[in-house]
Amino acid sequence: MRSTLVLDDLRVQKIRRADGSWAFSILWPDCSVDEEAESYLRLYEGSGSQEPYAYYLVDHLRWRLREGLTTETITLQDLHRYQGAVGAQVPMPYGRPWRVPPKRPYSTSALSVSAAVLKRFYLHQCVRRGINDELREALDVGRLPTQADRKRAFLGHAITSVPTNPLAPRQGSRRRHPKMLPDGARPELMGAVNTARDEMVVTWLSDTTLRIGGLTGLHLVDLHLRENADCGECKSPHVHVCHRQANPNRARAKKKEDWHLVDGVITGGEIYRASPAMVSSYFKYMTTEYAKYATGHGMLLIQLAGQQIGEPWTADAARGMLRRAGRRAELPGRIKPHAFRHTTTSKILDVTDNDSWVAKEAGNWASVQTVEEVYGHPDMHSPEFVSALKSVWGEPE
């Protein structure tokens, strides 16, 4: 068990800026700032990465305090021990588990983030303060570039080494198959939701590849739901997903595409086409619940109950709505917003004969390679797949 002293020593403090954005610092019980953490976190000022990095870092600093270590004395082996204590498989004894119930060990993806935070934090401190050269040399290592590294790099043919992280968990060679919605999930969810807002959320997630942060971060000015909108960027009805750091519900788009608001018209951002069903659900919601409760903040999705009725609706609240609707509809598994994105992309590939370029543009994916890595799996029930197996098995067609 962790001692009360350790739990009370360090905490993450959220600081609201004058422009509505948030910053994160790590404080001691006397409210003094941890200078090492502060110098590191300021590197990510204004970035969505600052918050998760602060929480990963404070967890490590609490462990380091229990172990009696400092930046000057910690070693690479100590960092491996910490990774083992939070869930990594390490070929050494790591002492007592750090994340005890009800907390769970870090997943593989969380361990990767933790490894990145630790490497950058200690390299920053070692270089800035000129200390612990042994740790700096152990962390500042590289490896031979792969073909994928060369493709990603400018003048990739000229690179001879790429940075690597000795703390990162071993990764598989391919991404795992994405989790799709259960068959027939959309009509079942539509029958299980209780409001026009929730119907609109299910419709918009089903007919696009919107991420939940982008959807809950939409403002009314982002919606161009008519033909030949003034932005001139898409003739059909569409929406512009714009990254805003200061949304009152803290919802943010993942991609930070440039966007502009000129004379009340939004241009740029990520553009998603809107289906007729999306437009219809929007007007149903706007003429009923939104017109009744909205408080003038200009965001699309609002709370419909509670003390903050009419205020912007959060991404976590949208996730909870989908989870509860899935239970009421008795759908298997937990309904998550990202499953809609995977399902829609998979459907686009099916109807375009696996055209990755169409899927990439429709889903605003980072690259065609990402689409191929995530969805490069054969349909086990397709005629071609069955025919190939029968041929291998020596069975007649």
Side-chain angles (χ1 to χ4, degrees), residues 153-320:
F154 180 67
L155 295 179
H157 65 280
I159 63 175
T160 59
S161 177
V162 294
T164 187
N165 191 338
L167 302 174
R170 188 180 299 276
Q171 300 287 344
S173 59
R174 292 187 63 87
R175 299 170 187 249
R176 67 180 183 180
H177 197 286
K179 293 183 178 179
M180 308 290 185
L181 292 172
D183 291 340
R186 178 174 179 170
E188 295 292 337
L189 288 172
M190 293 294 282
V193 296
N194 299 318
T195 67
R197 177 203 62 192
D198 298 348
E199 288 183 11
M200 190 184 79
V201 169
V202 173
T203 301
W204 283 44
L205 289 176
S206 298
D207 285 358
T208 66
T209 55
L210 279 165
R211 299 177 180 88
I212 196 62
L215 177 58
T216 53
L218 286 173
H219 290 238
L220 296 181
V221 294
D222 300 335
L223 313 181
H224 295 169
L225 302 181
R226 61 179 178 84
E227 301 286 341
N228 299 313
D230 293 339
C231 69
E233 294 182 297
C234 182
K235 295 182 178 180
S236 302
H238 61 278
V239 300
H240 296 256
V241 176
C242 305
H243 179 90
R244 294 181 175 91
Q245 192 69 21
N247 278 333
N249 62 353
R250 300 183 62 196
R252 292 189 291 265
K254 182 177 181 179
K255 296 178 70 175
K256 300 178 182 179
E257 301 288 348
D258 291 338
W259 61 275
H260 304 279
L261 177 62
V262 180
D263 295 331
V265 178
I266 286 283
T267 57
E270 290 183 278
I271 297 176
Y272 292 83
R273 291 275 298 272
S275 69
M278 290 170 61
V279 177
S280 177
S281 66
Y282 163 80
F283 281 109
K284 179 181 178 180
Y285 163 63
M286 291 296 293
T287 55
T288 55
E289 296 159 357
Y290 194 90
K292 184 177 180 180
Y293 298 118
T295 58
H297 45 72
M299 297 195 71
L300 174 62
L301 296 174
I302 62 172
Q303 300 184 49
L304 301 178
Q307 294 182 346
Q308 294 184 315
I309 188 170
E311 292 302 309
W313 202 42
T314 66
D316 282 343
R319 293 186 185 97

Side-chain angles (χ1 to χ4, degrees), residues 21-40:
S21 62
W22 293 84
F24 298 83
S25 294
I26 295 178
L27 306 184
W28 291 89
D30 61 359
C31 295
S32 63
V33 175
D34 185 272
E35 296 297 336
E36 287 189 338
E38 185 72 7
S39 68
Y40 170 72

Side-chain angles (χ1 to χ4, degrees), residues 3 37 70 110 117-120 140 208 225 233 269 286-287 300:
S3 68
T70 65
V117 170
L118 295 180
K119 176 179 178 178
R120 294 167 187 166
D140 193 14
T208 66
L225 302 181
E233 294 182 297
M286 291 296 293
T287 55
L300 174 62

